[in-house]
């Protein structure tokens, strides 16, 4: 397991096609944005463990260089940009 310290606005790239961005952090939680190719399934581990969900395809994004793309709606619930 790789352990990193990140601040809001910082990103991590995985295999060049998956981007995880720290949107906000507090005392008890961290808000993450995940950008991935459409064929990559994304699901919270606890939802999968309860048998309630299956990985869903991530929305495709193609941000302009130097401009992070806004976070897309997840499971039909819009996610505020910049939070």
């Amino acid at each position: 397991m790789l352990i990193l310290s990140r601040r809001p606005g910082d990103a991590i790239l995985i295999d060049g096609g998956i981007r995880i961005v720290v949107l906000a952090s507090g005392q008890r939680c961290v808000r993450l944005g995940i950008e991935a190719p459409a064929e990559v399934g994304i699901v919270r581990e606890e939802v999968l463990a309860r048998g309630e969900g299956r990985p869903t395809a991530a929305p495709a994004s193609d941000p302009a260089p130097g401009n992070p793309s806004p976070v897309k709606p997840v499971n039909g619930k819009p996610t505020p940009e910049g939070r």
Side-chain angles (χ1 to χ4, degrees), residues 50-78:
R50 290 190 308 246
E52 294 177 10
R54 294 185 7 206
T56 58
S61 63
D62 188 21
N67 292 330
S69 65
V71 174
K72 307 287 186 189
V74 176
N75 295 331
K77 298 177 183 176

Side-chain angles (χ1 to χ4, degrees), residues 5-7 16 19 32 44-45 47 50-51 57 62-63 67:
S5 296
R6 304 276 70 197
R7 293 191 170 100
R19 184 173 181 244
L32 301 173
R44 295 187 334 246
E45 183 177 32
V47 171
R50 290 190 308 246
D62 188 21
N67 292 330

Side-chain angles (χ1 to χ4, degrees), residues 6-26:
R6 304 276 70 197
R7 293 191 170 100
D10 289 350
I12 299 167
L13 297 177
I14 299 173
D15 197 27
I18 300 170
R19 184 173 181 244
I20 300 173
V21 181
V22 178
L23 300 176
S25 63

Side-chain angles (χ1 to χ4, degrees), residues 19-41:
R19 184 173 181 244
I20 300 173
V21 181
V22 178
L23 300 176
S25 63
Q27 291 180 342
R28 297 188 63 202
C29 70
V30 175
R31 190 172 180 101
L32 301 173
I34 303 169
E35 297 173 358
E39 64 272 6
V40 175

